Amino acid sequence: MTNVRRGCALVLLAGLLTAGCASADEGEHADHAATHQSSAPASATAQQQAVTIAVRLAGGAVTSDDTRVEAAVGQPIELVVDSDTSDELHVHSDPDHSFEVKPAAGQRFSFTVAVPGRVEIELHDAGRTVATILVR
Ligand SMILES: [Cu+2]
């Protein structure tokens, strides 16, 4: 738990957009996600190929640790998760996205990012950054 909080604090210190971490210690992301919902643009209608990020949790280990990927604003980004445990994926975009990971293979979570910048994807229970997306 402290690992997660420290990770989030470092992100805040780095001056990045961290819509989610102010309340990360509460374990609740639903409230502030709803707060930012209204600012999401509806412009990403162009058909773009999705950026896929594979994440695997097995035996307490996380593979694909802190992968760097690039994506365009509005481009679909898909997380493909194989996991043997429950966790929470948290996308540090604005607005942020949270996905509930279950112990199952082939879970897919899709989202888009509306604001350019560096977007980190965290596993909150494991306290790990699994990927960083450079959004342009
Ligand atoms: Cu977070």
Side-chain angles (χ1 to χ4, degrees):
M1 296 303 166
T2 38
N3 277 347
V4 175
R5 279 211 235 170
R6 199 183 317 133
C8 288
L10 285 172
V11 171
L12 285 170
L13 284 172
L16 300 170
L17 288 170
T18 54
C21 277
S23 62
D25 50 336
E26 298 164 18
E28 275 296 334
H29 291 74
D31 48 350
H32 61 248
T35 310
H36 293 288
Q37 216 83 29
S38 54
S39 61
S43 58
T45 47
Q47 194 70 21
Q48 288 172 299
Q49 202 173 9
V51 175
T52 303
I53 302 169
V55 179
R56 172 183 282 268
L57 290 90
V62 180
T63 52
S64 79
D65 186 47
D66 205 9
T67 305
R68 304 294 160 122
V69 296
E70 293 188 1
V73 165
Q75 183 172 13
I77 299 164
E78 186 170 54
L79 301 169
V80 182
V81 182
D82 293 332
S83 180
D84 62 358
T85 185
S86 299
D87 208 314
E88 180 191 7
L89 275 167
H90 183 206
V91 181
H92 283 207
S93 52
D94 184 15
D96 66 333
H97 305 276
S98 291
F99 303 108
E100 188 189 339
V101 174
K102 293 171 187 154
Q107 301 171 81
R108 290 174 176 267
F109 308 107
S110 293
F111 59 95
T112 57
V113 177
V115 181
R118 235 175 64 125
V119 174
E120 297 188 332
I121 304 175
E122 282 189 350
L123 274 169
H124 263 203
D125 292 350
R128 299 282 291 274
T129 301
V130 296
T132 301
I133 312 167
L134 192 61
V135 181
R136 295 165 301 160

